[in-house]
Amino acid sequence: MGLSPLKLTVCISGRGSNLSALLAQQSDRGTYEITTVFSDQPSASGLNLARERGIDAVSLDRSEFNTFKEFKQALFEKLDQVGGDLIVLAGFMVIVPEWFTKKWFGKLINIHPALLPKFPGLHTHQRALEAGERTHGCTVHLVDAGVDTGPILAQSSLEILPEDDEDTLSEKVLALEHKLYPWCVAQFCKGGVKFEEGRIVWSDAAAREARALGFEIFPLI
Ligand code: GRF
């Protein structure tokens, strides 16, 4: 008998295209089940995706709090309650507080639209173009107390073409994200990649699959 799927909370702030990709692939991956979609934006369109599928859609409204600090504290207390087995950040635009990253370290992952450690933060595509980069892509990483600094699990990359601009890069990198993130999440949930004694360890089978799919896994082997 197979293991039961891990329960995921996916955190979003906007359209939720990565959430869609995670939802679309959860049945064939069979290793995870999205049980909650969580947002700091009650109007995030991705919350509707959850509601349509009968998944818990949880959000907090900034306007109901006096200060951003109070809102942020309540937001992460709520996320702590609904977290499940793994929290997956997918376009969640709130910086995670240190207490939360410590409590959830190893069970909190993010996708970032750049080849970290290059271009943490915002406007990654524009910055990659301005820096004259030849390659660009996306990174899945564990979240630590820094911004986009946690241990890297995997990356997917592309060549920047002379005709590329911010829009074309954004579209192409997003397409890579939609393949890399569900695959990484599934590997994490079925033990193809583990975080043990402060190190990321990939199984041989997962490493072979990554190579076949054109993903780079970390640490480099
Ligand atoms: C993605 O590019 C993700 O890497 C970044 O925010 C964007 C979210 O897009 N963190 P979506 O909401 O998943 O469409």
Side-chain angles (χ1 to χ4, degrees), residues 35-126:
T35 49
T36 306
V37 175
F38 184 83
S39 186
D40 61 310
Q41 301 288 335
S43 60
S45 52
L47 287 170
N48 293 327
L49 277 175
R51 293 188 191 104
E52 282 159 15
R53 289 170 176 250
I55 297 170
D56 283 347
V58 180
S59 63
L60 256 68
D61 192 340
R62 164 71 183 90
S63 67
E64 287 173 10
F65 295 84
N66 289 326
T67 64
F68 183 71
K69 197 175 165 200
E70 284 171 33
F71 168 62
K72 196 164 161 178
Q73 182 65 27
L75 189 70
F76 285 94
E77 279 170 10
K78 189 75 189 166
L79 182 56
D80 191 35
Q81 284 164 21
V82 300
D85 298 315
L86 180 68
I87 296 177
V88 176
L89 306 184
F92 188 59
M93 302 304 284
V94 187
I95 293 177
V96 184
E98 193 172 347
W99 69 266
F100 194 89
T101 60
K102 287 192 170 144
K103 185 160 179 190
W104 281 84
F105 190 59
K107 293 193 299 179
L108 177 60
I109 67 175
N110 182 42
I111 189 155
H112 181 74
L115 297 175
L116 292 170
K118 286 182 180 171
F119 313 117
L122 300 174
H123 310 300
T124 55
H125 310 307
Q126 186 192 328

Side-chain angles (χ1 to χ4, degrees), residues 73-209:
Q73 182 65 27
L75 189 70
F76 285 94
E77 279 170 10
K78 189 75 189 166
L79 182 56
D80 191 35
Q81 284 164 21
V82 300
D85 298 315
L86 180 68
I87 296 177
V88 176
L89 306 184
F92 188 59
M93 302 304 284
V94 187
I95 293 177
V96 184
E98 193 172 347
W99 69 266
F100 194 89
T101 60
K102 287 192 170 144
K103 185 160 179 190
W104 281 84
F105 190 59
K107 293 193 299 179
L108 177 60
I109 67 175
N110 182 42
I111 189 155
H112 181 74
L115 297 175
L116 292 170
K118 286 182 180 171
F119 313 117
L122 300 174
H123 310 300
T124 55
H125 310 307
Q126 186 192 328
R127 286 157 63 207
L129 287 167
E130 282 167 8
E133 294 292 326
R134 308 278 296 273
T135 56
H136 189 43
C138 54
T139 304
V140 175
H141 65 97
L142 298 178
V143 177
D144 68 7
V147 175
D148 304 323
T149 54
I152 294 175
L153 295 171
Q155 293 183 328
S156 182
S157 56
L158 51 73
E159 192 187 336
I160 298 184
L161 305 175
E163 61 269 29
D164 273 323
D165 59 21
E166 202 182 341
D167 291 340
T168 62
L169 270 191
S170 158
E171 197 177 312
K172 289 191 222 174
V173 170
L174 199 60
L176 297 183
E177 293 182 36
H178 295 165
K179 294 198 177 87
L180 180 68
Y181 213 11
W183 181 80
C184 262
V185 167
Q187 289 300 335
F188 202 86
C189 292
K190 68 179 177 191
V193 59
K194 290 183 184 157
F195 189 58
E196 287 175 337
E197 293 166 13
R199 285 193 66 236
I200 288 169
V201 183
W202 287 88
S203 72
D204 291 345
R208 272 197 302 276
E209 228 182 271

